[in-house]
Amino acid sequence: MRVLVVEDEPPIADFLVRGLREEGFSVEHAPDGQSGLHALQTGAWDVVLLDWWLPIIDGLTVLKRYRAAGGTTPILFLTARDAVSDRVRGLDGGADDYLCKPFSFHELLARLRSLIRRHERGAGTTLQVHDVVVDLATHRAERAGKRLDLTAKEQMLLVFFLRHPGEVLSKTRIYEQVWDDRFDGLSNTLEVHIMELRRKLEAHGPRLIHTMRGRGYVLSETDPAGELS
């Protein structure tokens, strides 16, 4: 079982890493929010321990960005923030569980094992629409059985489309969810990424991502009413 520990306090991080390894887990440590988010987006984890107060990017922002990009790995917030309102914010932000410092290591282990069991019994790790498949655990993307060599941002964009098939997605909505930023109406970043994603998808089949002029983009196998391009 692979565990990612995102914790900036060295004594706590060392305690968690050593303790979890002694229990048989494979553990990696990220000391700040930026490196933690990168590890979340590029690695395959069975469970994540995430501190709230982190340098560069705080834990709640890391959590929201990861969930917005389609990440499904169970995440346990480990923090000194024990107010009910904080717990609500953490759980509503996408956390699967919440444990306040100081904590019992035995309770932590029990919660981790429970999260892993629930995740294994729960939703699958793959998204599929038509002949396009993305494995969220391994980050492998395929079309018609052929591997797609996608950048991290192209993969996030594809996952967002796969989660909303047949739905017209505005540029503003895509920008906010995939880039975690406001769309200024001037940048062509989205168009460039759409073009590259289309090129890689269409190397193995017909067009799936269509432009709805003045409205946005839609993932569709067909061209309803001839409106799409």
Side-chain angles (χ1 to χ4, degrees):
M1 291 294 175
R2 298 196 69 211
V3 180
L4 174 64
V5 175
V6 188
E7 169 62 61
D8 66 314
E9 295 185 43
I12 297 177
D14 182 63
F15 169 73
L16 289 170
V17 170
R18 287 189 296 105
L20 291 170
R21 284 176 177 168
E22 289 174 1
E23 292 294 326
F25 291 94
S26 174
V27 187
E28 296 294 333
H29 171 234
D32 57 66
Q34 182 172 295
S35 59
L37 182 59
H38 178 74
L40 274 168
Q41 293 172 337
T42 59
W45 310 99
D46 292 290
V47 69
V48 178
L49 294 179
L50 178 64
D51 187 24
W52 189 310
W53 293 113
L54 292 169
I56 306 178
I57 306 175
D58 68 85
L60 186 60
T61 300
V62 169
L63 174 63
K64 288 182 175 180
R65 289 183 183 180
Y66 176 65
R67 293 297 189 221
T72 61
T73 299
I75 294 179
L76 186 152
F77 249 142
L78 195 60
T79 174
R81 301 183 67 137
D82 59 358
V84 172
S85 59
D86 289 328
R87 297 187 190 196
V88 170
R89 287 178 65 199
L91 294 171
D92 282 348
D96 297 275
D97 203 352
Y98 197 108
L99 186 60
C100 294
K101 302 174 183 176
F103 56 88
S104 159
F105 186 71
H106 293 295
E107 181 181 3
L108 173 66
L109 283 176
R111 287 175 182 259
L112 287 184
R113 289 170 178 144
S114 176
L115 285 177
I116 292 170
R117 287 195 303 270
R118 278 174 14 212
H119 186 65
E120 289 176 343
R121 292 196 303 263
T125 61
T126 60
L127 288 173
Q128 180 169 4
V129 176
H130 309 304
D131 59 352
V132 179
V133 181
V134 174
D135 188 317
L136 299 172
T138 63
H139 302 278
R140 182 183 179 91
E142 297 180 348
R143 182 170 192 190
K146 305 294 185 180
R147 178 75 176 266
L148 299 174
D149 184 18
L150 303 180
T151 65
K153 194 62 70 175
E154 288 166 358
Q155 178 115 341
M156 292 170 67
L157 188 58
L158 178 58
V159 165
F160 190 54
F161 275 114
L162 293 178
R163 290 190 179 278
H164 303 275
E167 183 178 344
V168 179
L169 303 173
S170 69
K171 291 182 180 180
T172 298
R173 184 177 176 192
I174 296 172
Y175 235 83
E176 289 178 348
Q177 293 297 318
V178 178
W179 275 266
D180 194 34
D181 198 4
R182 289 183 178 276
F183 179 57
D184 60 12
L186 300 175
S187 172
N188 69 342
T189 299
L190 176 57
E191 285 81 358
V192 170
H193 281 80
I194 291 284
M195 181 179 66
E196 279 300 296
L197 182 56
R198 278 174 169 164
R199 181 181 65 80
K200 293 175 182 180
L201 288 169
E202 290 167 22
H204 308 294
R207 175 156 294 189
L208 285 177
I209 299 175
H210 305 273
T211 302
M212 293 287 284
R213 290 187 177 88
R215 299 174 62 190
Y217 299 94
V218 63
L219 179 72
S220 174
E221 192 175 22
T222 60
D223 185 350
E227 294 182 339
L228 307 178
S229 64

